[in-house]
Amino acid sequence: MPPASSQSLWAATAAAGPALAPLAAAQRADAAVIGAGYTGLSAALHLGAAGRSVVVLEAAAPGERASGLNGGQVIPGLKATPDELEERFGSERGARLVAAAGAGPDLVFDLIRRHDIDCDARRSGWIQPATSEAALRQLAAGAAQWLRRGAAVEMLTARAVADLTGSQRYYGGLLDRRGGTIQPLAYARGLAHAVLRGGGRIFVHSPAQRLSRAAREWRIDTPGGSVTAPTVIVATNAYSGPLIGALRRSIVTVPSFQVATTPLSPAARATILPGGQAASDTRHLLRYFRLDADGRLVLGARGTFGAEPGPGSCRYHYRAVRELFPQLDGVTFEYHWGGLVAMTRDHLPHLHELAPGLLAGLGYNGRGVAMATLMGRLLAQRALGMSDSELAFPVMPLRPIPFHGGARLAARVAIQYFRTLDLMTRTCGRLRGGTP
Ligand SMILES: Cc1cc2nc3c(=O)[nH]c(=O)nc-3n(C[C@H](O)[C@H](O)[C@H](O)COP(=O)(O)OP(=O)(O)OC[C@H]3O[C@@H](n4cnc5c(N)ncnc54)[C@H](O)[C@@H]3O)c2cc1C
């Protein structure tokens, strides 16, 4: 597994986070949150806004793992289409789930505005370019379902995708105007500041090592002190450790690496994402790209198991940049970094009630900027007493993946399989004389 790198573009360009200390004494609160990424910070923020006292325990620092390492693409909805979700969860619950997931970016951009978070937020839309005609047809079917629900989405021709992205390699695509981009670490740090302003307490370098229950209260032990609270929210996602083994075994973690170029020349900038959208294509092992505030191209794709992101392990990413944007021939790369993405077997985020007063939310399948922020609010709502039937997302039973070690091996095999499938799609496209 690659360790989380603090040498990301985002770490180099975000304003410093709040000055925080490790836990050094016993604390009490209405709620304790384990993990200070988007899930934990959003939960703490919403609990604080409801007048609850909150302590957040973070093993590293706010946003130092996935929430400060990601692509900063604010993506509406889930991987399943609205109709699929309504079929699975029933028309009433399914419709609420679809509406909540579709409005995830509203929540993100609203929190940024209300808490005055300086994180280069741009709501210029999210593009899903299609890598095959079949993928384009699937996108069109999903877009029709969103349009019936009044969402601001539209299908794009291959020409329009080329104009908006600067890449000639796509068959067309979807533009979802609900999405956008943020500086992800700055957003996480801004949420942390907002939690503190709301009266919350955050302790850094304070890993929760033991969780126990006595007299209707939970107790969390860290190396420097303990916290007792009637409610605990576990928000450790892909970085879940042995604290609750079954939680860790309910997800499969997959590495994703990103590279950032030096700032593009004005001429290249005029052709690549001139409208400032984010893009994630439809490949099985998707490629996602955007510009940062200084005009660097940031491209992400699957990472290598066991290797740290760096010039040696990011050859695939350089090739992807050259393939998609031949106009950038010779461009130099300034940053390489990566992190872990938590995948679930059903591709849905999971909200669990592990025991009375013990909640967990995780598994955003690469869409956590909006979904983890939303999950934090759902966890807070549940902690405040909202019933399962009132919540937009259902409380799900915890289902550890059988033979979890095997599942991780299977993830490696699946990555190889999808790589082959993506290669075949591209080759067939060429044989048919298609765009890519
Ligand atoms: C490279 C990469 C690119 C991505 N790109 C995108 C994207 O463009 N758009 C998108 O929507 N999503 C993206 N994602 C996914 C998104 O980043 C995550 O879904 C989201 O950040 C999850 O937030 P979180 O708070 O649940 O987890 P995290 O941010 O990982 O936070 C979990 C926290 O728990 C802490 N922790 C763990 N164990 C303990 C313990 N025992 N005690 C105390 N603290 C503990 C960790 O230190 C960590 O800070 C990407 C992910 C990666 C890795």
Side-chain angles (χ1 to χ4, degrees), residues 45 113 146 173 258 428:
L45 190 58
R113 188 185 47 77
W146 276 120
Q258 290 181 83
C428 292

Side-chain angles (χ1 to χ4, degrees), residues 403-427:
F403 311 111
H404 188 253
R408 283 175 52 186
L409 182 67
R412 291 177 191 226
V413 174
I415 284 180
Q416 190 53 48
Y417 167 75
F418 286 134
R419 191 183 303 161
T420 312
L421 215 61
D422 285 331
L423 197 68
M424 281 167 59
T425 310
R426 266 167 45 213
T427 311

Side-chain angles (χ1 to χ4, degrees), residues 16-173:
L20 297 164
L23 182 66
Q27 300 270 334
R28 235 215 125 265
D30 294 329
V33 175
I34 303 175
Y38 303 144
T39 306
L41 293 168
S42 166
L45 190 58
H46 286 96
L47 284 167
R52 300 301 190 273
S53 60
V54 191
V55 167
V56 182
L57 295 173
E58 167 53 52
E64 212 157 281
R65 300 298 184 237
S67 296
L69 295 167
N70 64 70
Q73 304 205 2
V74 189
I75 305 174
L78 301 171
K79 290 208 168 151
T81 68
D83 284 1
E84 285 165 354
L85 290 168
E86 287 192 19
E87 198 170 304
R88 169 159 178 195
F89 292 99
S91 54
E92 199 267 331
R93 168 42 95 40
R96 268 191 299 135
L97 194 151
V98 168
D106 288 345
L107 178 63
V108 171
F109 289 106
D110 188 49
L111 287 176
I112 290 169
R113 188 185 47 77
R114 275 197 285 134
H115 296 282
D116 201 15
I117 298 177
D118 184 6
C119 63
D120 190 32
R122 287 159 204 242
R123 201 163 187 183
S124 22
W126 174 68
I127 299 172
Q128 211 175 0
T131 51
S132 69
E133 278 164 10
L136 189 63
R137 279 193 298 275
Q138 269 182 9
L139 286 182
Q145 296 171 26
W146 276 120
L147 278 171
R148 281 204 301 280
R149 290 162 176 88
V153 302
E154 67 192 79
M155 289 302 293
L156 302 170
T157 62
R159 182 70 263 148
V161 169
D163 288 346
L164 284 174
T165 63
S167 178
Q168 309 282 338
R169 297 191 65 87
Y170 293 112
Y171 285 78

Side-chain angles (χ1 to χ4, degrees), residues 369-380:
V369 176
M371 287 311 125
T373 308
L374 174 64
M375 179 61 79
R377 187 174 69 180
L378 293 166
L379 289 162

Side-chain angles (χ1 to χ4, degrees), residues 256-284:
S256 186
F257 291 178
Q258 290 181 83
V259 296
T261 65
T262 48
L264 302 182
S265 68
R269 237 175 127 160
T271 67
I272 296 176
L273 296 165
Q277 289 88 5
S280 319
D281 72 22
T282 58
R283 292 162 61 98
H284 295 283

Side-chain angles (χ1 to χ4, degrees), residues 204-222:
V204 292
H205 305 296
S206 301
Q209 293 178 314
R210 191 164 166 270
L211 186 61
S212 52
R213 188 163 169 84
R216 304 169 80 86
E217 293 234 304
W218 291 99
R219 177 186 160 116
I220 307 167
D221 288 299
T222 76

Side-chain angles (χ1 to χ4, degrees), residues 288-334:
Y288 50 100
F289 49 92
R290 58 167 290 183
L291 297 182
D292 82 339
D294 298 316
R296 296 177 181 88
L297 176 69
V298 182
L299 179 137
R302 64 158 176 82
T304 318
F305 284 94
E308 279 196 49
S313 55
C314 287
R315 282 188 295 272
Y316 173 86
H317 298 69
Y318 307 146
R319 208 169 53 238
V321 169
R322 280 199 303 273
E323 269 176 34
L324 293 174
F325 307 105
Q327 65 270 45
L328 291 185
D329 190 32
V331 75
T332 47
F333 291 88
E334 212 177 342

